[in-house]
Amino acid sequence: MPETTTPPGPPAPAAPTLPPGTTAPAAPTLPPDTTAPAAPKPPRTSPYARLFALPGARAFTLGNLIARFPQGMFSISAVIMISGGRGSYALAGAVTATGLVANAVVGPWTARLVDRHGQARIAVPAALVSACGSLALLLCVHLGTPDWTLFAAYLATAATPNTGGMSRARWAHLLQGDAKALHTANSFEQAADELCYMLGPVVAAFLCGSLFPEAGTLVSVVLMVTGMLVFAAQRGTEPPPRARTEATRSPLRARGMPPLLIAFLALGAVFGSLEVGTVAFADAQGHKVWAGAVLALQAAGSCAAGLVYGATKPSGPAGRRHVLCVAATAALMTLPLLAAAVTGSLWALAGALLIAGMATAPTMVTGMTLIQRRTPPGQLNEGMTLAVTGLLGGIALGSATGGAAVEHWGPTTAYAVPAAAAATALLLSLYGYARRPDRGAGPA
């Protein structure tokens, strides 16, 4: 059989020849595939939004704010009620001052029991005892009992628990190891304090003036008891109680605490003398009715500064930040003296107090941060209550010193007292930082 062959196909085209000295063009590159969508960036949230996203944070904060708001109402309500019923501002001032001193003495013991047995078991009975004291004072004034019964009744209010300290203790328990979030929480708590003490007297004066003299005290008692019950019911965020042992020592003996607490005493003297001097200056200008509003501007400046400070990221050791904040307070506390001496205007003084107040919240925030770090574990409520005790003692001391300065030097020169107290706080802070700079995190 003959062999078949496949006819050859057309010849393949020859590769093009390039002239000498030239190179072949590079192969074209395809553009990258841009059809895939970029990964979405996570939305930015404020530090406060992240703070209150924690389980149970909103509930205990709401209850604590309701219980804390009356702290700015009790004193002014008692003064209005006693002065209206007995016709004596001196008696009203003596009764409220007695309650302030008693609270400064009893407060640390109540806080120690809170640390040992838990917030719910101690704070609710303590709030009920305090409420009974306020109601007893109301009955004594209404029934016209002897003056000494007013002092005896008001002494029971010394059992009022440190609501702000308990809230800060809960944040410290929830945010262990997160220094930035704890900084934001402390800033929020300080702003809340300023808001309560700014609006509390206004609400109390309105209730007593528009309804009846006892209205401020009644509303204060209802708010405190209701808020404390709501706060204590949030057991999921409550720090566990810590039993005291032989190794447990008082926060007063902790390293770095004594100069820090004395600095709180000096800061309290700033606030007490500033309040007395402002009331006297407004009275001398013929605008005594505006004294409360002018003082509220200082609290407003502090509240706003506290919220802004809490949204920023802290840098450097807490001890150094505290020194810088106290230095700012000492510098800005010269503004009220300059405004009163140079202009003699109440409105210029109001602007100076607004600016001066902006250093208050950062100073208190950094101070409380140091208190939390230097307090031994399991005694946080007691440590922060000691700081509040120092503030209360300083306020009483500053009020007395400021009043004496007004009597001897006049209301304008009396503004040298808060400036001198702020300078003293700065020296104490520098001494404390030199002795213990707090370069480490310390106990939370």
Side-chain angles (χ1 to χ4, degrees):
M1 190 170 180
E3 184 179 354
T4 60
T5 59
T6 304
T17 58
L18 298 175
T22 61
T23 59
T29 57
L30 297 177
D33 185 10
T34 57
T35 58
K41 294 182 179 180
R44 285 189 174 184
T45 57
S46 71
Y48 295 102
R50 294 192 294 270
L51 197 67
F52 291 106
L54 295 173
R58 296 182 182 181
F60 87 74
T61 300
L62 177 62
N64 189 272
L65 288 177
I66 296 174
R68 195 189 316 187
F69 189 80
Q71 302 305 315
M73 299 176 61
F74 278 123
S75 293
I76 187 67
S77 297
V79 168
I80 295 175
M81 182 174 62
I82 296 173
S83 62
R86 299 298 175 93
S88 173
Y89 279 98
L91 177 62
V95 171
T96 54
T98 301
L100 187 69
V101 173
N103 185 264
V105 174
V106 177
W109 294 96
T110 305
R112 179 176 296 183
L113 293 175
V114 169
D115 287 325
R116 185 183 302 182
H117 301 288
Q119 294 182 352
R121 292 183 61 186
I122 301 300
V124 172
L128 292 176
V129 171
S130 175
C132 291
S134 294
L135 294 177
L137 176 68
L138 185 152
L139 291 175
C140 290
V141 173
H142 185 72
L143 297 176
T145 59
D147 291 348
W148 66 266
T149 60
L150 306 184
F151 292 91
Y154 206 59
L155 282 176
T157 62
T160 304
N162 181 10
T163 51
M166 289 190 295
S167 185
R168 289 177 172 91
R170 292 205 178 201
W171 287 121
H173 171 64
L174 293 175
L175 303 172
Q176 293 182 16
D178 193 344
K180 183 179 179 182
L182 187 58
H183 165 77
T184 302
N186 285 335
S187 299
F188 170 80
E189 293 297 329
Q190 185 60 38
D193 282 340
E194 300 292 347
L195 187 65
C196 293
Y197 282 100
M198 178 176 62
L199 298 180
V202 177
V203 174
F206 173 77
L207 292 173
C208 295
S210 60
L211 299 179
F212 47 90
E214 297 85 1
T217 299
L218 284 175
V219 172
S220 300
V221 169
V222 171
L223 288 176
M224 181 183 66
V225 174
T226 303
M228 190 58 64
L229 290 174
V230 174
F231 176 76
Q234 314 307 315
R235 304 300 294 268
T237 55
E238 181 180 355
R242 299 284 295 269
R244 296 180 70 89
T245 63
E246 294 182 359
T248 304
R249 58 182 181 177
S250 170
L252 285 172
R253 300 174 57 190
R255 185 183 176 191
M257 284 289 281
L260 184 57
L261 293 175
I262 299 175
F264 271 92
L265 182 74
L267 289 172
V270 173
F271 307 142
S273 58
L274 199 65
E275 181 177 356
V276 173
T278 300
V279 172
F281 186 84
D283 191 16
Q285 299 293 317
H287 300 290
K288 187 177 181 179
V289 67
W290 289 101
V294 172
L295 285 170
L297 286 176
Q298 184 209 3
S302 178
C303 180
L307 292 175
V308 173
Y309 186 65
T312 61
K313 182 179 180 180
S315 60
R320 186 176 65 189
R321 295 200 310 271
H322 183 62
V323 170
L324 294 175
C325 290
V326 177
T329 300
L332 293 180
M333 277 302 157
T334 61
L335 295 181
L337 177 60
L338 293 175
V342 175
T343 68
S345 168
L346 183 63
W347 314 120
L349 176 66
L353 287 175
L354 176 66
I355 298 174
M358 293 180 180
T360 301
T363 300
M364 298 301 298
V365 169
T366 52
M368 282 297 182
T369 299
L370 289 178
I371 290 288
Q372 291 173 352
R373 292 184 176 182
R374 296 179 183 180
T375 300
Q379 297 174 268
L380 195 54
N381 286 289
E382 184 179 355
M384 288 188 291
T385 303
L386 286 172
V388 174
T389 299
L391 282 174
L392 294 177
I395 290 173
L397 179 62
S399 298
T401 307
V406 169
E407 292 291 334
H408 291 86
W409 304 332
T412 299
T413 312
Y415 279 107
V417 176
T424 303
L426 176 59
L427 293 176
L428 290 167
S429 300
L430 288 170
Y431 173 78
Y433 181 64
R435 294 292 302 273
R436 192 178 192 273
D438 287 297
R439 301 188 185 279

